[in-house]
Amino acid sequence: AGMAGAFLMEIRRGTESALLVFRYAAAELPSAPVEVSVYADSLEVRSDGSCDAAALPAGVRLAPSSCRGLRRLRGDGLHVRVRLRCSPPAADVAVTLRENLKPNKSYIFYCQSCGDIVVEDRKFLRVLPLPSENWSDLVEEWCCHPDPFARSSLHPQHGDCFIGDTFFLLNSGNDSHKSKENTRVICKRCKAILGETASSDTIKYYVTEVIIQPTEGSFSPTPRSQFVQSIVAQCLLELSSAKSTFRFTIKGDNGKTYILIWLLNSDTLLVESLGSSSSHGDFTLFGDILTPSSGPVGTWNAVKVLYQPCIQCRNKELADEWENDMGVHPLTFPSETCLELLLILGLSTTSLPPSLRCMNSFQV
């Protein structure tokens, strides 16, 4: 009686398997026997004369005869593993940061927080990817003679846009967004941190702070947490694919390490039924983007990561170890955004059933 149809299903496309959790709080243990029915296209929970049913989204079809490992965990609910009849459709491949900009097209850069125009009607003659941020440190490994690039720098000219892992480099031109106190670039309207001045004629805009649209397009606002999640996930996927690296340090523009992230997989599909959980004030993982039009059951593509916070000297030894590991890739964002991301990760963790929130010493 305490379940009210709320469930969470974590699907792995690669293995065509799913973990299904029928959720209820510890204080809501049903007094009467509970009957759980798993069908190919729906789920049912019967208890004490009531029946809660939920239809599965299109493309998600279960193999009921494969159910195994049924167990009840206090505070979680009922856990069961089940196979899929077929793999759900693959996630739409997001347009990468490098593919989003094309030469000889005009673009407008908007502040993601308030929508104010930051760079107006800029046409790029060249859109070029930058090497990894630590490329100059590796030159000694490439060259048998003194560093030939020691006195050169990668600064964009007026018609250039250089793209790094987490930022765009533009020639400053006539833009005047500099703060008088330091080299930070701020939004004139909302005072959000957009980037920093990389040199006297170069501005670095962070990908988490600006939205780039073709001049003929229009600005469409996106909830902040949704935007940050999407951009960071995209960075992790691009780098893991291009460099086969799966561990990342999230650093602030002040040089401090805020988070250690270990990418587990990117083929996860989450299916969540809110049931009556919203009436209990529970935080749901994607509450900021679940709209009534989504219906009672929502689906989301997700990347699954392990992470460790590093603020207030937490996990310092592990952070130092990762810092000296060539297999760990650093990602730099504004310090405020690092704290936002840490909050998003924390809320994500607490939205999961307690037994799924940790793996070894990491949070999920």
Side-chain angles (χ1 to χ4, degrees):
M3 291 190 192
F7 71 86
L8 174 69
M9 189 188 310
E10 181 183 327
I11 294 173
R12 290 292 308 278
R13 288 185 174 90
T15 58
E16 295 188 357
S17 61
L19 171 64
L20 177 58
V21 182
F22 293 92
R23 306 184 68 171
Y24 54 85
E28 297 176 336
L29 294 178
S31 56
V34 175
E35 180 182 329
V36 176
S37 299
V38 177
Y39 301 100
D41 58 356
S42 64
L43 305 169
E44 284 187 4
V45 179
R46 298 176 182 271
S47 177
D48 200 21
S50 65
C51 176
D52 290 306
L56 297 178
V60 178
R61 293 296 178 266
L62 305 178
S65 60
S66 66
C67 288
R68 69 186 191 281
L70 178 65
R71 58 178 181 154
R72 178 176 67 84
L73 297 180
R74 184 173 295 274
D76 274 20
L78 298 176
H79 287 231
V80 64
R81 293 193 173 274
V82 61
R83 303 284 299 178
L84 304 183
R85 285 191 170 178
C86 59
S87 182
D92 293 333
V93 178
V95 177
T96 65
L97 302 175
R98 288 168 172 77
E99 294 172 346
N100 197 38
L101 289 170
K102 302 289 185 183
N104 298 311
K105 288 191 66 176
S106 295
Y107 295 92
I108 298 176
F109 283 49
Y110 297 90
C111 170
Q112 195 280 325
S113 298
C114 71
D116 193 32
I117 293 178
V118 178
V119 178
E120 187 170 9
D121 200 18
R122 180 73 69 88
K123 179 182 285 189
F124 299 113
L125 302 179
R126 300 190 304 172
V127 179
L128 302 173
L130 287 167
S132 298
E133 291 187 38
N134 60 344
W135 70 276
S136 58
D137 298 334
L138 302 176
V139 171
E140 291 183 1
E141 304 295 331
W142 302 341
C143 302
C144 58
H145 49 80
D147 183 359
F149 308 110
R151 295 186 179 181
S152 61
S153 57
L154 300 176
H155 289 168
Q157 302 302 310
H158 182 68
D160 295 342
C161 177
F162 294 170
I163 304 177
D165 292 338
T166 62
F167 60 87
F168 305 96
L169 284 185
L170 272 62
N171 187 278
S172 57
N174 297 322
D175 299 332
S176 57
H177 293 268
K178 298 180 186 179
S179 169
K180 295 180 180 179
E181 291 76 20
N182 50 42
T183 60
R184 282 190 157 191
V185 178
I186 62 175
C187 174
K188 291 180 178 179
R189 179 191 290 174
C190 71
K191 308 304 179 186
I193 305 300
L194 304 176
E196 60 189 62
T197 52
S199 71
S200 60
D201 60 353
T202 303
I203 293 183
K204 174 193 290 186
Y205 291 105
Y206 288 103
V207 295
T208 51
E209 314 308 316
V210 295
I211 291 180
I212 305 173
Q213 300 276 2
T215 300
E216 62 272 13
S218 59
F219 176 77
S220 52
T222 305
R224 177 66 181 164
S225 64
Q226 180 187 346
F227 183 80
V228 171
Q229 288 183 70
S230 174
I231 290 294
V232 173
Q234 195 170 321
C235 289
L236 298 180
L237 292 181
E238 284 187 34
L239 288 166
S240 64
S241 175
K243 303 177 184 297
S244 295
T245 183
F246 303 96
R247 290 182 296 161
F248 304 87
T249 54
I250 305 298
K251 292 176 169 288
D253 52 7
N254 56 6
K256 294 181 179 179
T257 298
Y258 284 80
I259 317 170
L260 308 178
I261 289 184
W262 197 327
L263 176 64
L264 278 188
N265 66 65
S266 58
D267 66 345
T268 294
L269 177 68
L270 291 180
V271 181
E272 184 182 22
S273 167
L274 299 183
S276 66
S277 63
S278 58
S279 65
H280 300 297
D282 291 348
F283 174 84
T284 57
L285 182 51
F286 301 102
D288 60 341
I289 56 174
L290 182 63
T291 60
S293 60
S294 302
V297 177
T299 61
W300 298 269
N301 295 307
V303 294
K304 189 172 186 178
V305 301
L306 305 181
Y307 71 96
Q308 289 276 24
C310 295
I311 58 173
Q312 298 176 338
C313 296
R314 294 176 62 184
N315 300 300
K316 188 177 185 309
E317 289 186 7
L318 183 60
D320 290 342
E321 181 182 327
W322 281 33
E323 186 75 27
N324 298 318
D325 191 329
M326 290 293 291
V328 178
H329 194 85
L331 295 175
T332 302
F333 300 102
S335 302
E336 294 82 354
T337 301
C338 295
L339 293 173
E340 285 182 86
L341 178 59
L342 188 56
L343 176 61
I344 290 169
L345 287 168
L347 291 174
S348 169
T349 299
T350 56
S351 75
L352 295 170
S355 67
L356 303 180
R357 295 176 186 174
C358 295
M359 185 177 292
N360 297 328
S361 61
F362 286 80
Q363 297 181 64
V364 178

